[in-house]
Amino acid sequence: MKVSERLKKDAQDIWDDIINHPFILELYRGTLPEEKFRNYILQDYNYLIGSIRNFSILASKAEKVETMREILKIAWLEATGEFEGYIDFINQMGISPKKAKQTQLSMEGISYVNFLLSTSSLKSIQEGITAVLPCYWTYYEIANFHRDKIDVNENKFYRQWASYYLHNDYKEVVQKLRDLTDNICKGFPYERLKEIFITSSRYELMFWESVY
Amino acid sequence: MKVSERLKKDAQDIWDDIINHPFILELYRGTLPEEKFRNYILQDYNYLIGSIRNFSILASKAEKVETMREILKIAWLEATGEFEGYIDFINQMGISPKKAKQTQLSMEGISYVNFLLSTSSLKSIQEGITAVLPCYWTYYEIANFHRDKIDVNENKFYRQWASYYLHNDYKEVVQKLRDLTDNICKGFPYERLKEIFITSSRYELMFWESVY
Amino acid sequence: MKVSERLKKDAQDIWDDIINHPFILELYRGTLPEEKFRNYILQDYNYLIGSIRNFSILASKAEKVETMREILKIAWLEATGEFEGYIDFINQMGISPKKAKQTQLSMEGISYVNFLLSTSSLKSIQEGITAVLPCYWTYYEIANFHRDKIDVNENKFYRQWASYYLHNDYKEVVQKLRDLTDNICKGFPYERLKEIFITSSRYELMFWESVY
Amino acid sequence: MKVSERLKKDAQDIWDDIINHPFILELYRGTLPEEKFRNYILQDYNYLIGSIRNFSILASKAEKVETMREILKIAWLEATGEFEGYIDFINQMGISPKKAKQTQLSMEGISYVNFLLSTSSLKSIQEGITAVLPCYWTYYEIANFHRDKIDVNENKFYRQWASYYLHNDYKEVVQKLRDLTDNICKGFPYERLKEIFITSSRYELMFWESVY
């Protein structure tokens, strides 16, 4: 079994709780109060900024130039397409850019981002990449699991948001991250990766909990 | 007003909640179930390891050699006296060193430690020192506020634990950290320090909450 | 006077030595033995890899998201256009990609790159940006000073190489780096920036010396 | 063969050049002009400051708490005994502390220190420890190889300096660093360690060359 598959299997309980979290269920059913969604979007926008910062550190830790360029590409995609897409989406929802900027991360968000940043800064690149995997991957799993509900969702913002994570572009990034993990983590002590992966998965769950 | 005093004043609400936290009150009254105390000690022991790591990073970020040596001294005191004191204390309580080592930090503990580590790694030394101040300082404030209760506390472990934070040695480390903050933070944008100090204070409160 | 101008003025002696270095003079006159140029190209290709790594670290240290995105853009341009342009150029010169990859940096190259990396990792972003400025900026100054010699240069590789640093794209990156320096270094202790800028300028000179 | 022995063997040529460097030979014979020695001492004093900083980073990168404490001990010994010994020695030689402080590292010294700092910051702890080994170890080898010349050396400062590296305390630190390397580098790709070890050994040689 590939490292990434084994990690997912070991975190399956937490991932099930994420995929079936009431915030997710209500969002996909279209019954989530929009106020909660707005708060989530503002939190996630600020998380994204931390994530770009984190991929920059990860790029600098790559041993091979090819790996460095691959990770830098993800950082760059986040800093352009994803970041600007977020700004657009926030605009469409009628939230001012100023408000988005002034929003502070919740303690859960701060905790998650700083876990990523310190793992990337102080530990190996194998552990750093493993830490970012649950975020990207669970979003794809969520979107895929609930895909039938998207078209019948009456809230256009929810439809738009949910569609993003089914695009081929997004799927490719997730696959690239998995491949990267599988490539560079071969032979790396599995228990250390597992601890990181479980912790990140818990932060994902905590993040959903915090915006509900 | 000195920077450290201003920071304390701005976090006073959170500090009041810490000083009067039920865990603290029951501990000083001697009514805290010992099981909770044991759990706290094991968590705090693992937090200490993260804190030594953090002071090592901070030492490396000091601009002046005098500051580097001062911070390294704190790291060294933590890694020897405080660390070995903890091992002794854990032994006296009948907890095996193996159990202490195998204990994993709670999500709250992980979050707090990684906030310290990433602040020290990625931000300025001014912000890094500000982040560690609430931990040391609130312990002194707690001990000082509840000092009358120590002698009448019927639990000898609680008496021993509480006395530690009233020793002159401990008081001096707190004073040294405050002086260091006041010296190096002169002229540094206050709002950035305040955000860090408030966040660390919140983590202190969360930590007490998590062991209660 | 802007910070960047003041820095350049304080390093003018070293910059004059760079602009009039025999390697540069012979290259622009077309009299440089091609063997020396090939060695330079292989060294510079490996320096570039270190530089991409360095900009990744710098991006992660930016306080504001706008600054982070600007620096990431430079890292990304280096990792794509500049890097691939180098691979092409090396191919055209008949050097195999394998050879380029196996080339090790000289002690001067290692020293320069590690000075950049440790400045970015351990010091402020102001000092980190100041450290990369001489490399970009002197290349523009060299190209501009010797521009008349390019068209009459009989070596097509030398013409191609020299033209690169006169493109508007290149000029814009230099200007962006200068603007960035001027913006974020306002109010930062000048002497610390000067020391970094002089050291980097000396490394530039040493680098030319090492390939001559 | 232990990793440390294999590394030493692979760098033997460079180490021979260090042990027989004219600066060393003249110093042990007592014929080195004192002016050169003074310059060396001031350079080495500033190198020491960089080395303390480097051991602080290394401590923070240790996976196990025992390793962290061992490395922190070396940092602390350098920051107290060795540092204060240097201040004393400089005083005895009639150099003012102010002059010592104002002395700037040569480009060779800057290069060496920044190689250590960036290796510790960005690479693995195995590579970081390997990078510091040649400095400590060659000083012991030099002292041991030339030990017969110490008693007959007519310059008391040279006698005092040379004796330091024959003390049991010093020998123990060297042994501890070797043991640490042998312990944590087991199974680590040898070629990466070798490259680091050779580079550090070259810096040692360059450092002696720069003060001669």
Side-chain angles (χ1 to χ4, degrees):
Chain A
M1 205 188 315
K2 285 182 178 174
V3 174
S4 62
E5 285 170 30
R6 194 172 163 198
L7 289 167
K8 180 171 179 276
K9 226 180 147 194
D10 280 335
Q12 198 58 54
D13 282 358
I14 308 169
W15 285 37
D16 287 344
D17 287 347
I18 291 169
I19 290 168
N20 298 299
H21 193 278
F23 186 96
I24 302 288
L25 297 181
E26 295 179 22
L27 199 162
Y28 275 88
R29 279 179 205 138
T31 60
L32 185 75
E34 216 171 282
E35 202 44 50
K36 283 190 183 177
F37 185 68
R38 279 158 183 274
N39 175 39
Y40 160 74
I41 288 297
L42 289 174
Q43 287 295 314
D44 202 43
Y45 164 77
N46 279 280
Y47 171 86
L48 174 62
I49 293 171
S51 179
I52 301 170
R53 195 180 296 281
N54 186 49
F55 274 110
S56 303
I57 303 173
L58 279 172
S60 79
K61 300 287 281 286
E63 208 195 325
K64 291 186 190 168
V65 63
E66 291 79 13
T67 312
M68 181 164 70
R69 292 178 73 209
E70 272 183 55
I71 302 177
L72 208 47
K73 188 176 182 180
I74 298 173
W76 181 240
L77 289 174
E78 277 204 327
T80 48
E82 199 170 341
F83 186 80
E84 285 153 18
Y86 239 119
I87 301 280
D88 272 3
F89 192 59
I90 283 169
N91 265 340
Q92 286 175 41
M93 293 192 74
I95 305 170
S96 74
K98 206 182 155 188
K99 197 188 163 178
K101 238 181 155 167
Q102 284 173 342
T103 302
Q104 291 205 330
L105 272 171
S106 63
M107 285 303 277
E108 288 83 358
I110 290 174
S111 297
Y112 192 0
V113 166
N114 282 292
F115 172 71
L116 298 180
L117 294 175
S118 67
T119 302
S120 300
S121 296
L122 295 171
K123 299 198 171 179
S124 65
I125 186 158
Q126 287 86 352
E127 287 156 293
I129 283 289
T130 299
V132 298
L133 203 48
C135 172
Y136 274 87
W137 198 354
T138 55
Y139 270 67
Y140 172 72
E141 294 287 315
I142 290 168
N144 196 39
F145 185 86
H146 297 290
R147 65 190 313 151
D148 298 341
K149 298 169 199 135
I150 296 177
D151 288 344
V152 296
N153 196 321
E154 293 192 350
N155 187 312
K156 69 168 180 173
F157 292 127
Y158 298 179
R159 278 202 307 278
Q160 196 178 335
W161 177 87
S163 307
Y164 181 82
Y165 302 103
L166 283 175
H167 282 171
N168 269 339
D169 286 359
Y170 187 78
K171 214 169 152 177
E172 273 171 28
V173 174
V174 175
Q175 191 57 48
K176 195 160 277 182
L177 272 174
R178 288 183 55 184
D179 292 346
L180 202 57
T181 309
D182 292 331
N183 285 336
I184 67 176
C185 294
K186 251 179 233 151
F188 195 91
Y190 178 73
E191 288 306 312
R192 280 164 63 188
L193 299 179
K194 182 181 159 187
E195 195 184 320
I196 300 271
F197 194 82
I198 297 280
T199 304
S200 268
S201 298
R202 282 198 185 125
Y203 275 124
E204 274 300 318
L205 184 57
M206 270 172 62
F207 196 71
W208 292 115
E209 196 63 34
S210 75
V211 290
Y212 188 59
Chain B
M1 207 190 310
K2 286 182 178 172
V3 173
S4 62
E5 285 169 30
R6 194 172 163 198
L7 289 166
K8 178 170 179 276
K9 226 180 145 191
D10 281 334
Q12 198 59 55
D13 281 358
I14 308 169
W15 285 37
D16 287 344
D17 287 347
I18 292 169
I19 290 168
N20 298 299
H21 192 279
F23 185 96
I24 302 288
L25 297 181
E26 294 179 22
L27 199 162
Y28 274 89
R29 277 180 206 138
T31 59
L32 185 75
E34 216 171 283
E35 203 43 52
K36 284 190 182 176
F37 185 69
R38 278 158 184 276
N39 175 38
Y40 159 75
I41 288 297
L42 289 174
Q43 288 293 315
D44 202 44
Y45 165 77
N46 279 281
Y47 171 88
L48 175 62
I49 294 171
S51 179
I52 301 170
R53 197 180 294 282
N54 186 50
F55 274 110
S56 304
I57 303 172
L58 279 172
S60 79
K61 299 287 280 288
E63 207 196 325
K64 291 186 190 167
V65 64
E66 291 79 12
T67 312
M68 181 164 71
R69 293 178 72 210
E70 271 181 56
I71 301 176
L72 208 46
K73 189 177 181 178
I74 298 173
W76 182 239
L77 288 174
E78 277 203 328
T80 49
E82 200 170 340
F83 186 80
E84 284 153 18
Y86 240 119
I87 302 280
D88 272 2
F89 191 59
I90 284 169
N91 266 338
Q92 286 175 41
M93 292 192 74
I95 305 168
S96 74
K98 205 181 156 191
K99 195 185 166 182
K101 239 181 154 166
Q102 285 173 341
T103 302
Q104 291 204 330
L105 271 172
S106 63
M107 284 304 275
E108 288 83 358
I110 290 174
S111 298
Y112 191 1
V113 166
N114 281 291
F115 172 71
L116 297 180
L117 294 175
S118 68
T119 302
S120 299
S121 296
L122 295 172
K123 299 200 171 177
S124 66
I125 186 157
Q126 286 87 351
E127 287 155 294
I129 284 288
T130 298
V132 298
L133 203 47
C135 171
Y136 274 87
W137 198 353
T138 56
Y139 269 67
Y140 173 72
E141 293 286 315
I142 290 168
N144 196 39
F145 186 84
H146 297 289
R147 65 190 315 152
D148 298 342
K149 296 167 202 137
I150 297 177
D151 287 345
V152 295
N153 197 320
E154 292 191 351
N155 187 312
K156 68 169 180 172
F157 293 127
Y158 298 179
R159 277 202 307 276
Q160 197 178 335
W161 177 87
S163 307
Y164 180 80
Y165 303 102
L166 283 175
H167 283 170
N168 269 339
D169 287 0
Y170 187 77
K171 214 170 152 179
E172 272 170 29
V173 173
V174 175
Q175 191 56 48
K176 197 160 274 182
L177 273 174
R178 288 184 54 186
D179 292 347
L180 201 59
T181 310
D182 292 331
N183 285 336
I184 67 176
C185 293
K186 252 179 232 152
F188 194 92
Y190 178 74
E191 288 306 313
R192 280 164 62 191
L193 300 179
K194 182 181 159 185
E195 195 183 320
I196 301 271
F197 193 84
I198 296 280
T199 303
S200 268
S201 298
R202 281 196 185 127
Y203 276 123
E204 274 301 318
L205 185 56
M206 271 172 63
F207 197 71
W208 291 116
E209 196 63 35
S210 74
V211 290
Y212 188 59
Chain C
M1 205 189 315
K2 285 180 178 175
V3 174
S4 62
E5 285 170 30
R6 194 172 162 198
L7 289 167
K8 179 171 179 274
K9 225 181 144 191
D10 280 334
Q12 198 60 53
D13 282 357
I14 308 168
W15 286 37
D16 288 343
D17 287 348
I18 291 169
I19 292 169
N20 297 298
H21 193 278
F23 185 98
I24 303 287
L25 297 181
E26 294 179 21
L27 199 163
Y28 275 89
R29 276 180 205 138
T31 60
L32 185 75
E34 218 171 279
E35 203 42 53
K36 284 189 181 177
F37 185 69
R38 279 160 182 275
N39 175 40
Y40 159 75
I41 287 298
L42 290 174
Q43 288 294 314
D44 202 44
Y45 165 77
N46 279 282
Y47 171 87
L48 175 63
I49 294 171
S51 179
I52 300 170
R53 195 179 296 281
N54 186 50
F55 274 109
S56 304
I57 304 172
L58 278 172
S60 79
K61 299 286 280 287
E63 207 194 325
K64 293 185 189 168
V65 64
E66 291 81 12
T67 313
M68 183 164 70
R69 292 178 74 211
E70 272 183 55
I71 301 177
L72 209 46
K73 187 175 183 180
I74 299 173
W76 182 239
L77 289 174
E78 278 203 327
T80 48
E82 199 170 339
F83 186 79
E84 285 153 17
Y86 240 120
I87 301 281
D88 274 2
F89 191 59
I90 283 169
N91 266 338
Q92 287 174 40
M93 291 191 73
I95 305 169
S96 75
K98 205 182 155 190
K99 196 188 164 177
K101 238 179 154 169
Q102 286 173 341
T103 301
Q104 292 205 330
L105 270 172
S106 63
M107 284 303 278
E108 288 85 358
I110 290 173
S111 298
Y112 191 0
V113 165
N114 282 293
F115 172 71
L116 298 180
L117 294 174
S118 68
T119 302
S120 299
S121 296
L122 295 173
K123 300 200 170 178
S124 65
I125 186 159
Q126 287 86 351
E127 287 156 293
I129 284 290
T130 298
V132 297
L133 202 48
C135 172
Y136 274 86
W137 198 354
T138 56
Y139 269 67
Y140 173 71
E141 293 287 313
I142 290 168
N144 196 40
F145 186 84
H146 297 289
R147 67 190 314 152
D148 299 341
K149 296 167 201 138
I150 296 176
D151 288 344
V152 294
N153 197 320
E154 293 191 350
N155 187 312
K156 69 169 181 171
F157 292 127
Y158 298 179
R159 277 202 307 278
Q160 196 178 333
W161 177 88
S163 307
Y164 180 81
Y165 302 101
L166 283 175
H167 283 170
N168 269 339
D169 286 0
Y170 187 78
K171 215 170 151 176
E172 271 171 29
V173 173
V174 175
Q175 191 56 47
K176 196 160 275 182
L177 272 175
R178 287 183 55 186
D179 292 347
L180 201 58
T181 310
D182 292 332
N183 284 338
I184 66 176
C185 293
K186 252 180 232 153
F188 195 90
Y190 178 74
E191 288 306 312
R192 279 164 63 188
L193 300 178
K194 182 180 158 186
E195 196 184 320
I196 301 272
F197 194 83
I198 296 278
T199 302
S200 268
S201 298
R202 280 197 186 126
Y203 275 122
E204 274 299 318
L205 184 56
M206 270 171 63
F207 197 71
W208 291 115
E209 196 62 34
S210 75
V211 289
Y212 188 58
Chain D
M1 207 189 311
K2 286 182 177 172
V3 174
S4 62
E5 284 169 30
R6 193 172 164 200
L7 289 168
K8 179 170 179 276
K9 225 180 147 192
D10 280 335
Q12 198 58 55
D13 282 359
I14 308 169
W15 284 38
D16 287 343
D17 287 347
I18 291 170
I19 290 169
N20 298 298
H21 193 279
F23 186 97
I24 303 287
L25 297 181
E26 294 179 21
L27 199 163
Y28 274 89
R29 278 180 205 137
T31 59
L32 184 75
E34 217 171 280
E35 202 44 50
K36 284 189 180 175
F37 185 68
R38 280 158 182 274
N39 175 39
Y40 160 74
I41 288 297
L42 290 174
Q43 288 294 315
D44 202 44
Y45 165 77
N46 278 282
Y47 171 87
L48 175 62
I49 294 171
S51 179
I52 301 170
R53 194 180 297 282
N54 186 50
F55 274 109
S56 304
I57 303 173
L58 279 172
S60 79
K61 300 287 280 288
E63 208 194 325
K64 293 186 188 167
V65 64
E66 291 79 12
T67 313
M68 182 164 70
R69 292 179 74 210
E70 271 182 55
I71 301 177
L72 208 46
K73 188 175 183 181
I74 298 173
W76 180 239
L77 289 174
E78 277 203 327
T80 48
E82 200 170 341
F83 186 79
E84 284 152 18
Y86 240 119
I87 301 279
D88 273 1
F89 191 58
I90 283 170
N91 266 339
Q92 286 175 40
M93 291 191 76
I95 305 169
S96 75
K98 206 182 156 190
K99 198 187 162 177
K101 237 178 157 171
Q102 286 174 340
T103 302
Q104 293 204 329
L105 271 172
S106 63
M107 286 302 277
E108 288 84 358
I110 290 173
S111 298
Y112 192 0
V113 166
N114 282 290
F115 172 71
L116 299 179
L117 294 174
S118 68
T119 302
S120 301
S121 296
L122 295 172
K123 300 200 170 176
S124 65
I125 186 158
Q126 287 87 349
E127 287 156 295
I129 283 290
T130 298
V132 298
L133 202 48
C135 172
Y136 273 87
W137 198 354
T138 56
Y139 269 68
Y140 173 72
E141 293 286 315
I142 289 168
N144 196 39
F145 186 85
H146 297 290
R147 64 190 315 152
D148 298 341
K149 295 170 201 135
I150 296 177
D151 287 344
V152 294
N153 197 320
E154 292 192 351
N155 188 311
K156 67 170 180 172
F157 293 125
Y158 298 0
R159 277 202 308 275
Q160 197 178 334
W161 177 87
S163 307
Y164 180 81
Y165 302 101
L166 283 175
H167 283 171
N168 269 338
D169 286 1
Y170 187 78
K171 215 170 150 178
E172 273 170 28
V173 174
V174 174
Q175 191 56 48
K176 196 160 275 182
L177 273 174
R178 288 183 55 186
D179 292 346
L180 201 58
T181 310
D182 292 331
N183 285 337
I184 66 177
C185 294
K186 251 180 234 152
F188 194 91
Y190 179 74
E191 288 306 312
R192 279 163 64 189
L193 299 178
K194 181 180 160 187
E195 195 184 322
I196 301 271
F197 194 82
I198 296 279
T199 304
S200 269
S201 298
R202 281 198 185 125
Y203 275 123
E204 273 301 317
L205 184 56
M206 269 172 64
F207 196 72
W208 291 115
E209 195 63 35
S210 75
V211 290
Y212 187 59

